[in-house]
Amino acid sequence: MTSLLLNDTVALDAGWVSGALSLKEQEKVKDIFISHSHLDHTCTLPFLIDNNFSAPGFSLRIYAIPEVVASMKNHLFNNATWPDFTSLPNDLTPVLKLVEVKAEESVLVNGLTIRPVPVSHIVPTTGFIVEDRRASIGFSSDTGPTHRFWEIVNDLPNLKAVITETSFPNELQDLAQISGHLTPRTLDAELEKLKRDVPVYLYGGKPKHLKAIRKQVAALKRKKLSILEQGKTYKF
Ligand SMILES: [Zn+2]
């Protein structure tokens, strides 16, 4: 269940927005960037909108590459799984706007420049590069071994941190490979592609395997590598 909240108003992915935030905090979220269509990255979008639909002035913009927008239109906000909020309460002033962003095209929201970068998962997926005047971070979202993300991250001025995933332990490498995820072993190879000396935070460990993943990540003995803590605020 993945969500990263930036400066109170912007979220990267929506696997846990309505679960983690109070109603007052949810109202402040105006822009959400969705990396891919999988439920653990999108499943609280319907409840976030439903919870706040009647709040005065509430509206939400969701940004994603065209393939991900199409998937949300066809499979989520399709008037079957959930109402199509892109035409509610009416077509002229809907509470939800789905905004297509091309890969590597920047969007400016609330002082942040955010750019989707394709990664290597089993459905069309992008990570995101987030920049302001002082800091840049790279969030890979779900991915197996990938290339372009690291290339872009290595070139970022003011890079402060990278957030990437490790979903399965080494003994489930086959499963990680067919599902487009990393294990500590493939993470180690990915981190060889990172040419910058910055902290790397991990998310995505499947709960059943978290203990093994933690042990195997620690065994990599990489000083600036740690697992992202749920609910914690990080400053970059
Ligand atoms: Zn996924």
Side-chain angles (χ1 to χ4, degrees), residues 36 38 40-41 121-123 125 142 179 181:
H36 66 300
H38 282 161
D40 54 341
H41 294 250
H121 196 33
I122 45 169
V123 291
T125 302
D142 288 6
S179 59
H181 286 294

Side-chain angles (χ1 to χ4, degrees), residues 24 42 118 142 186 215:
K24 267 268 170 283
T42 58
D142 288 6
T186 48
K215 210 170 155 189

